[in-house]
Every structure is written in C-alpha cells, then in structure tokens.
Amino acid sequence: MLMFFLSSQFIMKWLFKFDKDKWQKRQRQMQKNLRSMESIRKINRELILFFKRNHEFFHVERCIEDAAGDPIAIQKMFDSIPVMASDLMSGNESFQFVATARLSFLLSTENPPIDVVIQSGVVPHFVRFLNEQYGLQHKLYSVRALYAIGKGSLEQAVVVIKHGAIPMFIRLLCCSEECYQLKELVAAALGSLASQSPDFRDYVLQFGTLTPLLSLLDNHLEPPMLHEKIALLRACSNTLAIFCQGNPAPSFNQIRSALPILRRLIHLNPPVGVIGEVCEDACLCLSYQSNGSAEQIQALIDADVCARLVMLLGLSDGKIVEHVLRTVGNIFKGVDSQIQILINNGVFFRLNAILMHGSNSSVLRKTCSAISTLTARDRNQIQVGIYYGFV
C-alpha cells in the first residue's frame, strides 16, 4: 500500500513537471511568435514608408506642382518640416533628395518659413549637397533653397554665408558642364547676397566672384541665343549690376575688368525683351562706373563705348535711355577732350531730339540735368548749348 502511494506521488509530480515544462515551452514559443510578428509588422511599416518615399522620389515634381496654389497641402508640408529635416540629415540619398525638393518649394512660397528652416539645422546640408558627388537636380534644389534664404533678412543671409556657400557657388559657376539653369540660379543667389549691403557686396567680391561671372557672360554672348542662354545672361548681368552699385560704391579697381564685357553687352541686338534687360543692366553698370574721377571716365572712353551709348539715346526704352543719360552727364563732368568724344559721336543731336520729341518725363528731366552739367562748366559750353538749340 505504501509502495502504491509513493508511486502515485511520483507519477503526479512527474506529470506536473511535464505539464509545467510543456506550458513554459509553449509560452516561449508564443513569445517568439509575437516577436516575429512584431518584426514582420515593423518590416511592413518600413516597406510602406520606403515605397511611399520612393514614389515621391520619382514623382517629386508632380507632388510639388499639385501642392502649388493649395493652402492645405502647403500647410501640411509646413507641419512636416521636422520630418523633412530628419530625412535630409539621414544617409539615404533618395530621402535627402525629396526633402531638399520639398523644402526648396516651401522656401519659394509667398510667406517662406525661412526661420523655421534655419532652426531645423538643414542649411549646412544644403551647402554640402553642392558637392560633385550629388546629382544636378539635387544641386538645383539646394541652390534654390539657399537663394531663397539669402533673399531674406540680413541675419538670414549671414547664415548662408557662415556655412560656406559662396566658395561652393563659385565652384559651380566654374564647372565645365552646360547646366544653364543651375548657373543661372547660382548667379542670382550671389546677387541676392551682395544686394544685402555694401559690406556684403565687398565680401562676395573678395572671393574673386567677378572673374567667373565675366567668363560666363563672355562664353555665352555668341549665337545661337537660346532661351536658356538668354536667361543665364540676364541673371549674370543683374548680379554684375549689383556688384557695381551701392553707397559707398565699390573700388573701381575691383570692377574695372568688367568694361570689355559691358561693351559687348550694350551692343546686343535687338535691345528689347530679355536682351533689352541685359543691355539695361550693362548701361546701369556704366552709369555707376563713370560716376567718379577723370581716370574712371577715361577708362570708359578707352573701352570704346561712347558711340554705342549715343546711339542708344535714340531708343524708345526709357530705362536704357535714363541710364545712358546718367553716364553722359557723368562724362560731361570730365575734361574737355573727354566731352569732345561724345560731341564727335553726335550726342547733342540726340539730346536735342529728346527735348523736341520726348514724352517720358523722367527721360526729359535727366536730359535737362545732363545739359545743365555741361553748361555749368564755363561760358564756352553755354555758347555750345545755344548753338545746338538747347535754349
């Protein structure tokens, strides 16, 4: 009886241990299955996110076009700036590209969130994407973003400069690839930084920016004048005009090398449309470069621009004529031999024609100002004014 009791106790303990081990084994298997299921769900989430973002990578232009003009879509994009900043700082180039494209679009909207973007810490990454290892489109979006930030306040432009954008811009201007749109944006970005203040202008010029800019203009002045080339010329001429102006003016020695290119720009024909705007920028540069010493005026005369300037006085484009009149007035402040060059090219006949037939009040006012500058010199110049019918 005792033996039976002991045997039954042993069997019960063994059965209990067997059930316990089996239960524990089953628990471990269930936990393993749960972990596997969680891993699968995580992989699925990552795959969905990957395909969603890669869809954006291949269709980013269309996504941006769809968002343009849609305040709700723009607001959603604005709310996702932290996510875009995280993607931009990641090691995945596809994510970086999409984030850069979306941020550059946001920065080009009516009320760009420049401060929010700067605070997200992405500006140095925009500069980094200008390196050779990144694709053309990626560089394009990065320059567009930096350009938009540089157009902001003085403090916002400082951020772009502080992170080394100017040397990278110059490197892009000097690259041998015929990437018109990229170089156009780079030229505009340099102009926006230089336009912030005379100190900014001088700082940009210290990097030797003028040389590649002039080289770019020189290399693209020959026909055929494709639309892309004309747009590039316009951006470069506008930046050149920014480099030449300001108060105080830049050192003449800094911008003197631009005279041969300016001579070619004012000879562009026909001076209408975008070509007219390029010619206008060149005439504006000459008006600033002539506003100085007799040496500066002589440099303009030596560049052989006087004959073309006198011819441009016959145009109907008021802006071009105004800039030329300012240059003529500056030359009238020079010595007699310099004034004689203008007289020999028929400047008095052009001025008289403007007085007789001109209808633009601003042009007429500047014409009178130029003539008064001449006649204020001495009695002989007053007699000349009477002789040519100015009185």
Side-chain angles (χ1 to χ4, degrees):
M1 189 73 177
L2 179 62
M3 291 296 292
F4 176 77
F5 175 76
L6 291 173
S7 298
S8 61
Q9 288 291 319
F10 175 77
I11 291 168
M12 288 177 66
K13 285 182 180 179
W14 182 83
L15 287 172
F16 176 77
K17 185 177 185 303
F18 175 78
D19 288 344
K20 184 180 178 182
D21 291 344
K22 190 174 181 182
W23 180 80
Q24 288 177 342
K25 186 177 180 182
R26 185 179 295 173
Q27 285 292 104
R28 286 195 295 270
Q29 186 64 39
M30 287 176 65
Q31 288 174 359
K32 186 178 179 181
N33 290 342
L34 284 171
R35 285 195 296 270
S36 298
M37 289 174 67
E38 182 60 32
S39 298
I40 291 169
R41 281 196 293 268
K42 185 179 179 181
I43 291 169
N44 284 339
R45 285 197 301 270
E46 290 176 351
L47 281 172
I48 290 168
L49 186 62
F50 174 80
F51 285 119
K52 181 180 178 182
R53 286 176 170 172
N54 274 273
H55 172 79
E56 290 182 348
F57 174 75
F58 292 111
H59 301 89
V60 64
E61 289 283 356
R62 195 177 71 186
C63 293
I64 289 173
E65 286 175 8
D66 292 343
D70 185 350
I72 297 174
I74 292 173
Q75 184 59 45
K76 285 182 179 178
M77 205 177 289
F78 179 87
D79 294 337
S80 65
I81 286 178
V83 177
M84 288 187 274
S86 177
D87 287 348
L88 196 137
M89 297 175 193
S90 71
N92 188 308
E93 195 167 333
S94 298
F95 294 175
Q96 291 172 341
F97 174 78
V98 173
T100 306
R102 288 159 67 88
L103 284 169
S104 72
F105 164 72
L106 272 181
L107 289 167
S108 66
T109 54
E110 189 175 350
N111 297 304
I114 296 177
D115 285 328
V116 178
V117 171
I118 289 173
Q119 289 163 13
S120 70
V122 298
V123 175
H125 296 278
F126 288 146
V127 176
R128 179 168 59 87
F129 295 151
L130 302 182
N131 281 307
E132 294 176 0
Q133 67 196 74
Y134 294 94
L136 175 62
Q137 200 66 25
H138 204 152
K139 292 176 187 173
L140 193 65
Y141 286 129
S142 299
V143 173
R144 188 174 293 165
L146 292 169
Y147 172 39
I149 296 171
K151 285 196 302 184
S153 67
L154 202 68
E155 293 76 16
Q156 291 164 345
V158 166
V159 177
V160 175
I161 292 176
K162 184 177 70 174
H163 289 292
I166 294 175
M168 298 302 294
F169 285 160
I170 294 173
R171 186 183 298 178
L172 291 175
L173 282 184
C174 295
C175 76
S176 56
E177 296 179 41
E178 290 292 340
C179 37
Y180 295 114
Q181 192 177 7
L182 178 63
K183 291 182 178 181
E184 175 193 343
L185 267 176
V186 170
L190 286 167
S192 71
L193 291 173
S195 67
Q196 290 285 352
S197 73
D199 289 337
F200 271 57
R201 177 204 63 208
D202 293 340
Y203 184 76
V204 173
L205 285 170
Q206 282 176 12
F207 284 86
T209 316
L210 191 60
T211 301
L213 191 73
L214 295 176
S215 177
L216 207 56
L217 284 164
D218 186 41
N219 294 335
H220 292 87
L221 279 173
E222 300 299 330
M225 298 301 285
L226 306 173
H227 173 73
E228 295 84 359
K229 286 176 68 173
I230 295 173
L232 174 59
L233 287 175
R234 176 70 179 102
C236 291
S237 68
N238 185 62
T239 298
L240 183 57
I242 291 169
F243 287 167
C244 290
Q245 57 186 289
N247 187 21
S251 164
F252 183 63
N253 289 331
Q254 279 185 301
I255 56 174
R256 185 174 190 154
S257 58
L259 282 172
I261 296 298
L262 292 173
R263 181 185 180 279
R264 295 184 65 190
L265 291 178
I266 63 173
H267 278 83
L268 286 174
N269 274 311
V272 294
V274 180
I275 293 292
E277 291 172 357
V278 173
C279 183
E280 179 188 328
D281 288 334
C283 291
L284 177 62
C285 291
L286 291 173
S287 72
Y288 281 107
Q289 292 201 6
S290 61
N291 187 22
S293 64
E295 180 190 355
Q296 288 180 228
I297 295 172
Q298 189 59 46
L300 259 72
I301 291 171
D302 293 342
D304 194 22
V305 298
C306 290
R308 179 61 177 175
L309 289 176
V310 172
M311 188 177 296
L312 290 174
L313 287 174
L315 294 179
S316 58
D317 189 316
K319 288 292 183 184
I320 292 178
V321 174
E322 283 184 37
H323 298 325
V324 173
L325 285 169
R326 194 178 295 117
T327 305
V328 167
N330 290 335
I331 295 174
F332 281 166
K333 296 175 186 176
V335 298
D336 290 346
S337 59
Q338 294 169 341
I339 297 170
Q340 192 61 46
I341 299 292
L342 285 178
I343 295 173
N344 294 345
N345 282 285
V347 68
F348 288 155
F349 296 106
R350 293 289 187 183
L351 295 176
N352 195 32
I354 292 172
L355 290 176
M356 295 289 291
H357 309 291
S359 57
N360 186 314
S361 59
S362 180
V363 169
L364 288 170
R365 189 163 54 250
K366 284 184 172 55
T367 303
C368 293
S369 176
I371 294 169
S372 68
T373 300
L374 176 68
T375 55
R377 292 172 60 87
D378 53 46
R379 288 178 176 273
N380 291 334
Q381 301 300 346
I382 295 174
Q383 192 61 43
V384 169
I386 294 171
Y387 176 79
Y388 280 96
F390 295 145
V391 179

